[in-house]
Structure formats: structure tokens, C-alpha cells
Amino acid sequence: MVKLSPKILRPRLGPPFSSRTFSQLRSKHLNHGLQLQSCNGLQPRLTHSRRSFTIESNSNRNPSSNTSLPRRAIFSRLFTFSKYTLYLTLSSVVGLVVLTSSIFIHDLFTYTTRHVDHVPINPLALNLERGGPKNLPIARVLVDDDEDEDMHRIARDKPRLVVVGGGWGAMGVLQTLHLGDYHVTVVSNETFTTFTPLLSSAAVGTVQVRSLIEPLRKIVARLRGHFVNGKAIDVDFGQRLIEVECVGNGEKVYIPYDKLVIAVGSTSSTHGVPGLEHCFQLKTIADAQAIRRRVMDNFEAASLPTTSPSERKRLLSFVVCGGGPTGIETAAEIFDFCQEDIINYFPKICREEVSIHYSEAISQYAEDKFKRDGVNLITNSRVAAVTPEHVIFTSKNADGKMEQHTIPTNFTLWSTGIAMNPFAKRVTDLLRNQVHRKAIEVDAHLRVKGTPQGTVYAVGDAATIETSLVSHFVESVEEADKNKDGKIDFGEWEQKIPMAEDHVTKAREIFTMYDTNGDNALELNELVKLLEDLGNKITSLPATAQVASQQGKYIGRKFNKLARWREREEQKVERTQSDTTSTTSSSATSLSKDDVRSRKNIIDIADESICSPFRYFHLGSLAYIGNAAVFDLGKYSFMGGLAAMYAWRSVYWNEQVSMRTRALLMIDWIVRGAWGRDLSRL
């Protein structure tokens, strides 16, 4: 008889045997001397001569065992859920403790009492000498020039760089400069720089104005520089003095410079339209705040029970005059504001009677989007006048005749064209060869035409690169012909011509067409004809933040290279003087004075020797059109809904000047998505 192995006959913990399972088990063990019997057809039994094993059917088992497996699965899942819940709770508690401790430690070292005693101040900073054409005080020494050794060394040894303005061009210069290369002074009538592309969002409360500004003093502090809250009103190029009218007391003072960067931006053009004093503009934080107050006032007045239907329609009519991203985004933001907030918290009739009028041609995608949103697009028209209660415009009818139309409104935004800033206008009046009517003309290296080379630069909306190539080359053909062979090759020509990067290929193609003998050079008479053709293909750069930022960074990199060159020249001066003077203590003092004087007398090398002309790289343009966005990348364009909108937000978030504004901007977007815009009128 076969002895049954315990391993084979181990009782099975699982569901009861079925009749089919019993048959399979019986046939499997017949050859081993096993006998399977059935007792009364109810209880299958496995028997052996020495030991028997019983397998019970479902009908004879304990009913509570039927739910044992589901209960175990439930208990297992509950245990797993409890375990991970405990892990999450503990990690959250630990994270909260760490965050609270970090804040406490930060506050512990931040909120401390610091005493400032005996601050060193140069007496000349407290008693300014007078001079210049108007006999005004000259701030040759500032009150914080001697606060520490580094600032004293910079004020004593480094060239004076004055940046007038606080916009995109100025930020490009300040963020690119290296610490300690220049004695930097920023002159601006605002104490902060503004992220202008999101002003339309701030105008309706999508983001807060504090999220778009960064104090200029914090930016200048990285360079150990100085800030003067004032408005530049005049300049003396001969004595290198900037006349500044201080904000607050109105006093005037001269600030000397070795290098001057004009980045004052522009103003809006009127195009001769009367009544623009009744319009809003959107260039500053004050403009955005004024627009927000007017928008809220209009909706509140339209909600009053005493407001007539005609007056309500006028109050809820919003007119945007002008194209470009500013006009498009403002119209889109007003629509979003009405669609997402006004409809929830104001009488529904206010949302129903809102009308938005946009008077400029736009892309087909944006036009279709605006039509679906109910924005009235008025194209092929011209604004004739603006009154406190109406906008009057003219357009052609079906017969080609001009007709006059009127739109009742209590809100008009004017965002078309640019005009010259008053200080830029003063600069062009002082220079005889400045003939442009809207900006300061600069050459390919962004140097202001008519000023001593290497001293005055202009960037951003305040500047325009000269495109009159014929006169440009006729005046400086001898300078362009480096090898004096009577011909201009492409390398010499490229160093003198102002153009954007995408013009270089076209310029090379045209140059090759006129190079008949294939020697990569042109005779001067052939060159004149080439420049006439090329001048027709090159246009001025657009007045955008992208252009201003690239120009500012170009100037900053150029100044860094000039600083490295000056350092090498100073080292040469020091070696020369150390070889020609004695080592006595008295002569050492004389050497120090001569060394400082020699450093001041070092003349900068020409820009052409260390830096190529400015090249503009067009990175594309983008605009928000109401929970959607349009991207124009030159040869390619991209447009869409939420995905494009988040791409638009990502670009603007990345372009912020500091991590502080990035954090604030992200918080504003989250707050707006969770709780809507703030409807308070401040």
C-alpha cells in the first residue's frame, strides 16, 4: 500500500471542491492505492487504510467561512489605505514643521536691530559745486559714494555710466553689466520698472499691479549703483552733463557722465485727432489703475435703479482704438471680465448690454474668436474725434463714399502709434543731423548720430536705426575702406551697415548680384546703386519690448568688453609707472595720484574694434485673445485655446525681472482661477 505524503494530502485552504474537482482528484490518485468515496452523495471523502482525510462540500461548511476571503481583502485594502494615509499625514506634518521653522529662522536673522553710526560721507556730496551752462549744482560726488571700500573704489576709478529711463531697454543694460565695471547712476521719474505686456490684465484685476513692478533700487543694488528719482530735461554734450529735475521738491541738478544711455521710451501719437484728452492710454501703472477705476465705476453706475436704458448702454460700451497686442489684449480682458465675474455678481442685464468695439484689422483666427465672443470689429475706418460721450469715426460705404458714424461710450482706449518723448525731442533739437520726427537716430552700434563717438547711446522706443544707407556710406567711405584699395568688400561693408539678422542673407544675395567679377568686392560707383536697392528693402525695427530688451543687452555686453579693455590698459599704465618711479614712500604717494589721473585719461577704443554691429533676432510675437492666444513666429504661427494660453503665460512668466514678481504673478493667476477677480474699487 502506498504511503500518502503529507505534502500531497495537505488540506486545501480555498473554495470547496466541486463535483468536477472531486472526479479529477479521484482519477489522479487511483494509481497510488488511494480510494475516494462518497458518503450519501453529500460529503466527498478521501480515504486511506491508515488515515483518512475529509473534504467537505459547500453545504456542510460553516456559513461564516463563505465571506472570509472578501473580509480579508477588505481588511487588506483598509490597512494599505491607512498606512499610506499615515505616511501622507506624517510627511505633511514634517513639511509644515520644516516650513514653519524655516520662516522662524529667517525672521530670527531678518528682524534684528542694526545700528548705523558714523557713516562716511564726502563733504563735496553735502555741498555741491555749481557750474554748467545754467550754473546749477553738479553732483560729481553722491552721498553714498563712500559708504564702503568697494563703492569708494568704484567712484574713484571707474567711468560714470548714466542710464536715463527704467523700461525694457534700461533693464537690458542693467541686467547684463558686470559688478564693479562702472559707476552706475539710473535716472527715472518712476521708482520701479514695469512689466508692460500684462498691463491689460492689471486693468481688469486679473493680476495685481504690485505683481508687475520691481523697485529700481533693488536692481541697481546688484551693481552697487545709485538711483536718482527725477526727470531728465536737458543735456550738455560738450561738458557731459545731464540736467535732472528732481521729483518732489522740483529742484534741478546736473549729473556728469562718461557714457550716457537714453532709454526714455515714447509717448502715444495723436495723429491730429481732437479730443484725445477724453481717452485712456495704457503705458504705465497709473494708466492701468485709472482704467480699472473707470471700468468698475461704469458697471456700478449701470447697476443703479435710477440709470436709464440708454445711459446704461453708453456706460457699458467699451471702445478700443488702435491695433497691436495692447488693443487686442485689452478687448479680450474686458470680455473675460464680463464673462467670468460681471455675470456672477452684477445684474444679468449688465452682462447682456455690454458692447466692445475694436477698430483695427487683426488676424483671421483672432477675428473669428472676437466675432464668436460678440466683439464688434470695425475695420477700414478712421477715428475723426473723441468727445466725453461719443467716438466719431468715418468709413467707406458700399459706393466708396465716406460716411460718419458715432458710438456712444464712456470708455475709450487710445493705443495707436508712438511719438517722441520730451527728453528725446530735446536731444534731437540739439543735434543738427537728427532729422527723424519720432525717435533719435542711431547708427549700427546704437550710438547717437552727431555726438562724440562712444559717449551717448539710445535704445528702445526712443531710438531708430538709420536706414539711409547711401548717405551713411558717402560720409564714411574712407573709414569703411580699411585696406585702402578703393573697393568695399562684404566684411568692411557689414561692419558699417545697420540691419537686423534676417536682413543679412538678403544683403549677401544683393551684394553677390552686383559683384560681377566675383572677387567679393565692389567699386564705389557700383556700391551706391547697391545701397539704393538695399535701402528699399530694410525697414526700421518695430517699437516693441523685445527690440528694446535686445538692444539694452547688446549695450551691456559691449560695455563689459570695453571694461575688460580698460583693465588691460590700466595694467599697462601701472607697469609703466612702476618702472619709471622710485620706491621711496614720498614717491609712492605721488605714484598713487598719478595712477588715478592716468586711469581717468584712458580713452576708450572704438566700438568697431571690440564689438560687431547690433543684430536683431526676431523671436516672434504673441497676443492673448480671451482664454486663447495667438503666436506669430515669423515663418510659422501657432494659435489655439487653453494650451496656447498657458504657453502665453509661460513666456510672460519667464520674462519677469525677478523671482519675487514671478511668485506674485503665479499667486495672482491661482487666486483668479479659484475665487475670481477682485471687484473692489480702490
Side-chain angles (χ1 to χ4, degrees):
M1 183 174 291
V2 179
K3 187 177 181 180
L4 198 62
S5 171
K7 181 178 182 182
I8 298 176
L9 299 177
R10 181 178 300 162
R12 181 173 179 179
L13 299 178
F17 281 110
S18 64
S19 60
R20 182 179 179 183
T21 306
F22 177 76
S23 301
Q24 293 175 350
L25 183 61
R26 178 180 180 182
S27 61
K28 181 177 180 180
H29 293 285
L30 282 177
N31 296 329
H32 295 278
L34 297 175
Q35 184 178 4
L36 294 172
Q37 298 178 351
S38 177
C39 298
N40 299 325
L42 295 176
Q43 185 175 353
R45 182 173 297 168
L46 177 62
T47 62
H48 189 266
S49 59
R50 296 181 59 184
R51 187 175 182 183
S52 65
F53 296 86
T54 302
I55 305 173
E56 297 182 347
S57 64
N58 288 341
S59 59
N60 294 334
R61 295 190 57 155
N62 189 348
S64 62
S65 64
N66 295 337
T67 58
S68 60
L69 183 60
R71 286 180 178 178
R72 289 183 180 180
I74 293 175
F75 289 150
S76 177
R77 292 173 183 175
L78 287 176
F79 176 76
T80 303
F81 175 77
S82 301
K83 179 177 65 174
Y84 286 107
T85 302
L86 180 62
Y87 290 163
L88 180 61
T89 304
L90 291 177
S91 61
S92 300
V93 172
V94 171
L96 184 61
V97 170
V98 171
L99 178 62
T100 305
S101 302
S102 302
I103 295 175
F104 177 77
I105 295 174
H106 173 269
D107 292 345
L108 183 64
F109 289 97
T110 301
Y111 299 105
T112 57
T113 303
R114 295 194 294 181
H115 300 280
V116 181
D117 298 321
H118 307 293
V119 178
I121 299 179
N122 194 315
L124 294 178
L126 302 177
N127 301 279
L128 299 179
E129 62 172 310
R130 305 182 73 90
K134 301 180 182 179
N135 195 32
L136 298 175
I138 303 176
R140 300 191 185 277
V141 181
L142 300 178
V143 293
D144 50 351
D145 271 345
D146 293 339
E147 285 187 352
D148 53 47
E149 289 296 328
D150 290 338
M151 299 190 72
H152 176 71
R153 176 185 58 82
I154 292 174
R156 181 192 62 194
D157 300 336
K158 300 302 179 180
R160 295 178 178 271
L161 170 61
V162 177
V163 180
V164 181
W168 286 87
M171 290 303 100
V173 176
L174 298 175
Q175 291 179 329
T176 312
L177 286 175
H178 293 164
L179 172 63
D181 287 344
Y182 293 90
H183 180 274
V184 180
T185 302
V186 176
V187 178
S188 176
N189 60 339
E190 298 283 4
T191 61
F192 50 83
T193 182
T194 305
F195 190 79
T196 53
L198 287 178
L199 282 177
S200 56
S201 297
V204 297
T206 303
V207 299
Q208 301 300 315
V209 293
R210 287 285 179 183
S211 304
L212 306 182
I213 61 176
E214 184 71 12
L216 287 172
R217 287 190 178 274
K218 288 188 175 181
I219 298 174
V220 176
R222 183 186 70 85
L223 300 171
R224 308 303 301 275
H226 313 270
F227 174 73
V228 176
N229 187 202
K231 180 173 63 175
I233 57 177
D234 205 351
V235 58
D236 186 342
F237 296 112
Q239 301 185 44
R240 298 187 181 182
L241 298 173
I242 287 286
E243 183 180 346
V244 177
E245 181 180 351
C246 299
V247 174
N249 56 20
E251 295 185 1
K252 298 179 180 180
V253 63
Y254 282 130
I255 297 180
Y257 69 89
D258 296 311
K259 291 186 179 298
L260 172 65
V261 178
I262 302 174
V264 293
S266 62
T267 60
S268 295
S269 176
T270 63
H271 296 289
V273 177
L276 292 188
E277 64 272 12
H278 307 300
C279 297
F280 290 92
Q281 298 181 7
L282 193 54
K283 284 184 171 293
T284 65
I285 290 293
D287 293 338
Q289 292 174 324
I291 290 175
R292 185 172 183 181
R293 285 191 291 267
R294 173 61 65 87
V295 170
M296 293 308 305
D297 288 344
N298 285 358
F299 279 105
E300 293 294 348
S303 303
L304 295 176
T306 57
T307 303
S308 64
S310 60
E311 178 67 8
R312 182 181 297 109
K313 289 184 177 181
R314 188 185 73 86
L315 291 171
L316 301 180
S317 174
F318 301 90
V319 180
V320 178
C321 303
T326 300
I328 294 176
E329 292 179 356
T330 302
E333 289 284 359
I334 293 176
F335 173 80
D336 288 349
F337 178 53
C338 298
Q339 193 72 6
E340 299 168 1
D341 296 277
I342 295 299
I343 196 172
N344 293 328
Y345 304 104
F346 281 79
K348 296 294 188 294
I349 193 173
C350 291
R351 174 63 188 95
E352 181 183 3
E353 296 191 355
V354 166
S355 61
I356 303 173
H357 311 272
Y358 183 79
S359 63
E360 196 68 33
I362 54 179
S363 68
Q364 187 61 44
Y365 181 86
E367 182 176 344
D368 295 340
K369 177 69 167 57
F370 277 0
K371 286 181 178 179
R372 291 194 302 269
D373 295 342
V375 177
N376 181 25
L377 296 175
I378 305 173
T379 58
N380 300 322
S381 60
R382 179 181 178 85
V383 177
V386 180
T387 68
E389 298 183 350
H390 299 87
V391 172
I392 304 171
F393 68 95
T394 58
S395 62
K396 291 184 179 180
N397 57 18
D399 299 331
K401 297 181 180 179
M402 300 300 296
E403 290 184 345
Q404 183 169 293
H405 306 272
T406 301
I407 301 177
T409 183
N410 196 45
F411 174 89
T412 304
L413 175 66
W414 185 265
S415 63
T416 174
I418 62 171
M420 194 176 295
N421 180 278
F423 179 68
K425 182 67 168 59
R426 176 57 180 167
V427 171
T428 57
D429 291 342
L430 293 174
L431 303 173
R432 291 180 297 176
N433 55 350
Q434 291 283 338
V435 295
H436 203 279
R437 293 180 299 174
K438 294 184 178 180
I440 302 172
E441 282 191 325
V442 297
D443 63 8
H445 291 266
L446 305 184
R447 296 170 296 197
V448 176
K449 291 182 58 181
T451 61
Q453 284 198 358
T455 58
V456 184
Y457 301 81
V459 297
D461 294 356
T464 180
I465 297 180
E466 180 190 18
T467 58
S468 179
L469 301 182
V470 174
S471 60
H472 183 81
F473 255 83
V474 169
E475 294 175 357
S476 56
V477 63
E478 294 184 358
E479 182 181 354
D481 188 11
K482 299 294 184 180
N483 54 10
K484 306 301 180 182
D485 61 351
K487 298 180 180 181
I488 304 296
D489 58 38
F490 188 80
E492 296 171 337
W493 181 43
E494 189 179 14
Q495 290 295 319
K496 293 294 295 179
I497 184 173
M499 54 184 161
E501 183 64 23
D502 57 349
H503 294 147
V504 176
T505 303
K506 295 180 181 179
R508 167 62 78 175
E509 293 175 355
I510 298 175
F511 191 95
T512 304
M513 289 173 54
Y514 285 86
D515 185 13
T516 56
N517 57 3
D519 62 348
N520 197 36
L522 295 176
E523 301 291 341
L524 296 185
N525 57 345
E526 298 174 335
L527 184 62
V528 172
K529 179 60 178 174
L530 182 151
L531 295 178
E532 290 179 353
D533 294 344
L534 186 60
N536 297 328
K537 297 180 180 293
I538 296 180
T539 58
S540 300
L541 297 177
T544 61
Q546 185 179 163
V547 173
S549 179
Q550 290 190 25
Q551 290 178 340
K553 293 177 181 178
Y554 167 82
I555 292 294
R557 290 192 296 268
K558 177 188 293 187
F559 286 175
N560 291 335
K561 293 180 180 180
L562 287 172
R564 302 288 80 75
W565 180 86
R566 286 184 62 88
E567 289 179 356
R568 292 192 294 270
E569 292 299 313
E570 290 173 359
Q571 292 174 0
K572 292 180 182 179
V573 170
E574 292 176 357
R575 287 196 298 266
T576 301
Q577 291 184 349
S578 62
D579 293 340
T580 57
T581 57
S582 63
T583 58
T584 61
S585 59
S586 59
S587 61
T589 303
S590 176
L591 173 61
S592 176
K593 294 180 180 179
D594 292 340
D595 181 56
V596 172
R597 189 180 300 110
S598 300
R599 290 176 178 176
K600 293 290 186 181
N601 293 333
I602 293 177
I603 301 176
D604 282 338
I605 193 172
D607 292 3
E608 294 86 347
S609 301
I610 63 169
C611 191
S612 60
F614 171 71
R615 295 284 185 266
Y616 169 62
F617 296 88
H618 183 61
L619 302 178
S621 58
L622 62 162
Y624 175 77
I625 56 175
N627 290 329
V630 178
F631 289 77
D632 181 11
L633 305 178
K635 296 181 180 179
Y636 306 98
S637 60
F638 170 68
M639 56 200 70
L642 288 178
M645 184 194 70
Y646 280 108
W648 169 82
R649 285 185 176 182
S650 300
V651 172
Y652 281 172
W653 184 85
N654 185 67
E655 291 297 322
Q656 297 295 309
V657 298
S658 69
M659 288 304 300
R660 184 190 72 89
T661 55
R662 289 189 181 98
L664 291 175
L665 190 61
M666 182 65 69
I667 293 172
D668 286 344
W669 282 332
I670 294 174
V671 169
R672 174 258 177 186
W675 295 285
R677 298 170 178 84
D678 183 10
L679 301 179
S680 304
R681 198 274 193 194
L682 301 178

